[in-house]
Amino acid sequence: MANVIVVGTQWGDEGKAKVIDYLTERSDIIIRFQGGANAGHTVIAGGEKFIFHMVPSGIMYPGKTCIVGNGVVFDAEQFLCEVDELSDKNIDSDGRLFVSDKAHMVLPYHKLEDRASEALKEGGKIGTTCRGIGPAYADKAHRNGIRTGDLNDWDSFTRLLKENFEHKKKFFAAFYTTPFDLKLEETIEKYRLIRKRLLPFLADTTEYIFSATKQNKRLLFEGAQGTFLDIDHGTYPFVTSSNTIAGSACTGAGIGPPCIDHIIGIVKAYTTRVGNGPFPAELSDETGEQIRQNGGEFGATTGRPRRCGWFDSVMVRKAIQLNGITRLALTKLDVLDKLDEINICTHYEIDGRTTAVFPSDLQTLKKAKPVYETMPGWKETTAECKTLDNLPDRTIKYITRLRELCYDT
Ligand code: IMO
Ligand code: MG
């Protein structure tokens, strides 16, 4: 297997980490290219559960190299916590875990700003993870950001931090109702310690990746969030602050498009969303609750109950288009095992007209009513099925129908 990008096709939490874990064995380097500690990538290995927010989940495999690319907004505290947690479990990351020196840092004031900005929004709260993602990307675009590489020169890092503190303090006083209660000296002290531990991980990762491709090393790009949380193509403004689609792997890792061989989209057998924003196939009834409980649909980062709904093929078709997906991996099928009937959203009805195209503007999307096709449930346990042949006929029919709707409609 050559170089592969794995992306979410819905609103995140599709089970990307499970597929990454599976593909890691046949890869050499695993790269995160966007997002930050808003991701919650859960891997269950040897009966133990690990939730990764910053470190690529491929780190579980000895001998594999993991990279946090330039496109990520980097939370150093979270990263070091995960490194410690791994070393407590005898997983050593020395010499095989690298962080791009161009990755922008998420600093304590970004988290404060994330909360302050949400507090200010009355009706239209996004429901962010409060991990400082939006403010950190905003500073990057605003060119006020601090990059991990700035830690190399302590004087320049502290000067930048001081400038940002002064700027943020004024900003908070003028715009937000939340007080700016961070102390510069304490933050400097905290980052003095962080710096000492972090410097050995910093690298020019674009050079590293480039020379790896020359040696035919196999790259695995670990996407975070999902297609409909993409800042351009998602349900803006109810999105995250990065491009989550496959194209982002090139900018977020610093490689050219010809390096990519496959794009695998991860799709859950139903739909979930955590946070606010339109969700046409949402279930607000007992079936939704049953899916939530059976699927353990509670946020890995925030613990919030996830909103649940039926499989929406209008969305997944759009995701295939936007990402250039060459294969789909279907997850959590067994969550539907007990249902009598299963709906699939095939189209939307908007203002009395039926459409198979995902609307590009929010106001139209808000009006979309799902058009369903109903299939009988299989009412058998599929959790232990390892091959297609082991699955009940009705389950195979469901999968076949999803495939037709996603690829051939
Ligand atoms: P993984 O990688 C699901 C959602 C938040 C919120 C919106 C913006 O585990 O699939 P942010 O903190 O990014 O500014 O929040 O995006 N969100 C996710 N939802 N899975 C994720 O990551 C998410 N990361 C962000 O709930 O609606
Ligand atoms: Mg998640």
Side-chain angles (χ1 to χ4, degrees):
M1 201 182 61
N3 301 331
V4 179
I5 303 176
V6 172
V7 285
T9 58
Q10 294 156 318
W11 278 296
D13 305 321
E14 297 92 350
K16 295 179 287 293
K18 185 174 185 146
V19 180
I20 295 282
D21 190 55
Y22 175 75
L23 295 173
T24 294
E25 256 185 282
R26 45 198 95 180
S27 312
D28 300 301
I29 303 174
I30 301 88
I31 307 160
R32 277 276 313 264
F33 54 90
Q34 47 70 230
N38 47 351
H41 294 177
T42 310
V43 178
I44 299 171
E48 275 200 272
K49 185 169 163 180
F50 292 83
I51 302 178
F52 294 99
H53 300 286
M54 261 335 318
V55 173
S57 51
I59 199 77
M60 303 286 288
Y61 285 78
K64 306 291 177 185
T65 300
C66 288
I67 289 179
V68 178
N70 56 275
V72 168
V73 282
F74 182 74
D75 186 329
E77 283 182 273
Q78 179 62 39
F79 174 84
L80 293 172
C81 272
E82 286 172 31
V83 167
D84 288 342
E85 211 182 307
L86 286 163
S87 97
D88 285 348
K89 303 218 157 78
N90 293 321
I91 300 170
D92 193 10
S93 35
D94 277 358
R96 63 186 191 97
L97 176 59
F98 302 106
V99 178
S100 167
D101 55 5
K102 290 186 200 156
H104 279 252
M105 297 181 79
V106 176
L107 290 153
Y109 49 76
H110 291 129
K111 293 180 192 171
L112 201 64
E113 207 176 334
D114 201 348
R115 281 192 291 270
S117 152
E118 280 282 86
L120 213 59
K121 291 185 175 121
E122 293 201 337
K125 286 191 203 310
I126 293 166
T128 73
T129 58
C130 293
R131 296 293 184 116
I133 307 300
Y137 276 118
D139 276 358
K140 173 179 176 175
H142 217 185
R143 288 154 293 176
N144 290 332
I146 303 183
R147 309 205 283 187
T148 57
D150 290 318
L151 283 167
N152 282 313
D153 180 344
W154 181 242
D155 289 342
S156 104
F157 176 80
T158 50
R159 183 179 47 76
L160 285 169
L161 198 63
K162 192 163 175 265
E163 274 172 24
N164 272 293
F165 255 71
E166 279 162 14
H167 175 82
K168 298 285 176 193
K169 234 187 239 171
K170 283 187 201 145
F171 198 76
F172 265 70
F175 292 106
Y176 294 133
T177 47
T178 319
F180 186 87
D181 53 6
L182 292 167
K183 305 263 178 314
L184 178 64
E185 286 314 314
E186 280 173 18
T187 309
I188 289 178
E189 216 27 59
K190 186 169 171 179
Y191 277 83
R192 193 194 299 279
L193 301 174
I194 286 177
R195 173 179 186 260
K196 226 170 135 187
R197 295 198 55 200
L198 201 60
L199 285 182
F201 291 101
L202 300 189
D204 178 349
T205 54
T206 54
E207 260 323 288
Y208 187 96
I209 295 169
F210 179 68
S211 55
T213 57
K214 286 183 113 180
Q215 295 164 44
N216 290 321
K217 293 264 186 348
R218 296 154 306 173
L219 312 178
L220 178 59
F221 295 88
E222 177 174 350
Q225 290 82 53
T227 300
F228 293 89
L229 289 172
D230 183 284
I231 188 152
D232 287 290
H233 303 286
T235 48
Y236 191 90
F238 301 100
V239 292
T240 191
S241 298
S242 64
N243 284 112
T244 59
I245 60 171
S248 180
C250 291
T251 48
I255 49 144
C259 286
I260 307 300
D261 300 292
H262 293 290
I263 296 152
I264 302 183
I266 314 304
V267 62
K268 200 141 59 173
Y270 49 96
T271 313
T272 62
R273 173 165 209 170
V274 58
N276 301 327
F279 181 171
E282 183 167 14
L283 283 162
S284 315
D285 59 3
E286 242 172 67
T287 311
E289 187 54 39
Q290 200 181 339
I291 293 176
R292 183 175 307 117
Q293 295 303 331
N294 289 348
E297 295 296 353
F298 297 88
T301 302
T302 57
R304 291 176 290 178
R306 295 179 184 142
R307 299 157 64 192
C308 297
W310 297 117
F311 187 95
D312 184 341
S313 64
V314 183
M315 286 176 68
V316 181
R317 275 196 296 274
K318 185 74 185 172
I320 291 174
Q321 226 183 74
L322 289 168
N323 290 285
I325 285 167
T326 49
R327 277 172 210 176
L328 278 178
L330 185 69
T331 61
K332 300 190 89 167
L333 193 59
D334 58 316
V335 173
L336 308 179
D337 281 355
K338 293 186 186 136
L339 300 182
D340 295 323
E341 284 186 331
I342 299 169
N343 283 341
I344 308 172
C345 173
T346 58
H347 295 81
Y348 294 155
E349 196 193 290
I350 301 169
D351 292 333
R353 287 178 50 203
T354 304
T355 177
V357 179
F358 192 82
S360 69
D361 78 289
L362 199 74
Q363 297 317 322
T364 313
L365 181 64
K366 276 185 185 164
K367 292 192 276 185
K369 293 193 181 67
V371 177
Y372 289 125
E373 193 174 288
T374 304
M375 298 192 78
W378 43 90
K379 311 274 283 177
E380 282 182 55
T381 308
T382 60
E384 298 307 318
C385 294
K386 300 286 179 215
T387 64
L388 206 60
D389 301 343
N390 290 148
L391 287 172
D393 283 348
R394 285 179 169 180
T395 318
I396 294 178
K397 280 200 183 116
Y398 180 68
I399 300 172
T400 310
R401 188 62 187 135
L402 296 189
R403 193 164 58 193
E404 278 166 9
L405 286 166
C406 292
Y407 286 110
D408 308 330
T409 303

